[in-house]
Amino acid sequence: MFFALKGPNFDGNAYADSALKKGAAYAIIDDEKFNTSPQTILVNNVLETLQALATFHRTYLNIPIVALTGSNGKTTTKELINAVLSQKYSTTATLGNLNNHIGVPLTLLAMNKNTEIGIVEMGANHLKEIAFLCDIAKPNYGYITNFGKAHLEGFGSVEGVILGKSEMYDYLTKNNNTVFINTNDPIQVERTTQAKVFSFGSISSFANVKIDFVDAHPYVKCSYNDLEICSQLIGNYNFNNIAAAITIGNYFKVNDKAIKMAIENYTPTDNRSQIIHKGNNQVILDAYNANPTSMRAALLNLEKLSGNKMAILGDMFELGNDAATEHQSLVDLATSLNIDRLIFIGENFNRSRIDSKKAMKFNSFTDFKKYFNSSQINDTIFLIKGSRGMALERIVDLFNEA
C-alpha cells in the first residue's frame, strides 16, 4: 500500500500511478486530480490517514507496547530491550531511529499476528510531540532514558525538555499503565509519584530490580542477581541503558541467563559507541549525534581511559540561542580534562574562545582533513563525536588514507 506523503520538495501524489504499476495494491492520495484508478483511495489527509490506520492496527492486534523516549541513549536502549525481550518473545521494534510522526506509525504497521511485544522509540524536538505519539501508539509501558540538553531550540530550555519528555509519564499515568524508572534519577522519581512504577537502582536502594555498576574499562560491566554481565558497550553513561533493558526483561520474566546472554552479545552499530581499531590506534566512534549532555559524558569517559587520548568534536545542532554558551562550556570542560589533544570542528566551535596549547579548531571538515592527512598520529585513543549533520564518521576513512 502506497501512502502519498508530502514534503517541502516533493508531492507523493505525483508518484501514485507509478507505485501502482510497480505492484502496490492501493495508493492512498489526497489530491483529487490523481484519483484515476480503482486502486487509488482519496482521503482528506494522507499523513493523518497513515497515523489513524496505525492506531487501528495497534488496537486490533491488542499486544503489549513498550514505548521509550529521552534526550540521550534512546536507540541504544531500544536495541538492548529488543535483544533481551526477543530471547523469550517474538518482538517488533522501531527500525533504526524511525521515531517521529511518520516513523512511529510505520513501526506499528510493521507488527503482525506473530508479534507478541512491540517496542516503539519516540523522538521529539518540541512540546506536545510525545503526547501526540502516545495517542497514536497507545503504549502499555514506558521508559524515559534521561532529560538532557537536547533540542533546546524547539523545547526552549531544559525545563521544556523535562516537560516534553514527561508527556509519556502523563499518558501512562492517566491510563493506569506501568512506568519503568531509574531510582537514581531524582527527576524520574519526582515526576512519577502518581504513576504505577516498576523501578531499578543500586543494590542498596528500594528498587524492584537491583543492579550495580562494576566498571567500564572500557566496556561496561554490571552485577545483577549474582551474575556479572560484561557488555560490549563503552562508557559509564551506557550503564543505565543496560540496566533499563535488564529491568524490562525481568518484568516480562525473561530468564536471568538469557538476559545476560542478550546483553553480552549486543554489538553497537550505526556510529554509536563503536570501537574501531585502525593500526595501533583505537577509535571510539560516537558520531551518530551529539548534544551538550551526551558530549560531556563522552569526554568524561575518555578521560578515565589509560593511554594517549585525543578528542575530535564537531558542532552540536538545534541549540538555538544557547548554541554559543553551550559550545563554549564544552570547550572549557574539554580543555580542563586529562585529554592530550583536542580538535574542534565547525562554525560554532570555531567562534568559541580556546586558550589551550593542546587544542586546535577548524571551521570545516575540509580544513580539518588537510591537517589530519599531513599528521602522523600513533598509539592513540580517539573519541569522535558530533551532531548528525557534521557526519564525522568520515574521519574513520582518513585513517586509511594516512
Side-chain angles (χ1 to χ4, degrees), residues 33 93 245 252 300 330 373:
K33 72 172 176 276
F252 285 101
L300 292 173
L330 254 299
N373 285 343

Side-chain angles (χ1 to χ4, degrees), residues 127-142:
L127 292 170
K128 304 299 182 186
E129 196 168 1
I130 294 297
F132 179 70
L133 295 177
C134 283
D135 283 337
I136 293 173
K138 301 188 181 303
N140 310 91
Y141 306 91

Side-chain angles (χ1 to χ4, degrees), residues 189-233:
V189 174
E190 177 194 340
R191 299 197 73 86
T192 54
T193 53
Q194 304 301 312
K196 189 164 66 176
V197 163
F198 190 82
S199 62
F200 68 89
S202 60
I203 289 170
S204 60
S205 72
F206 294 100
N208 296 96
V209 178
K210 312 294 178 67
I211 308 168
D212 263 7
F213 174 79
V214 176
D215 64 42
H217 295 293
Y219 298 107
V220 178
K221 292 181 185 177
C222 59
S223 173
Y224 161 70
N225 281 3
D226 296 325
L227 292 172
E228 184 170 88
I229 298 178
C230 307
S231 78
Q232 297 183 60
L233 289 161

Side-chain angles (χ1 to χ4, degrees), residues 16 22 58 112 122 140 190 230 241 264 287 306 347 384 389:
K22 290 179 179 178
R58 181 266 177 276
N112 57 38
M122 296 180 180
N140 310 91
E190 177 194 340
C230 307
N241 302 337
E264 293 188 339
S306 301
E347 293 178 5
I384 301 175

Side-chain angles (χ1 to χ4, degrees), residues 254-274:
V254 179
N255 177 277
D256 285 352
K257 290 184 179 176
I259 291 174
K260 173 180 165 72
M261 184 173 71
I263 298 294
E264 293 188 339
N265 287 340
Y266 172 73
T267 306
T269 56
D270 297 332
N271 308 325
R272 290 181 171 92
S273 297
Q274 287 180 263

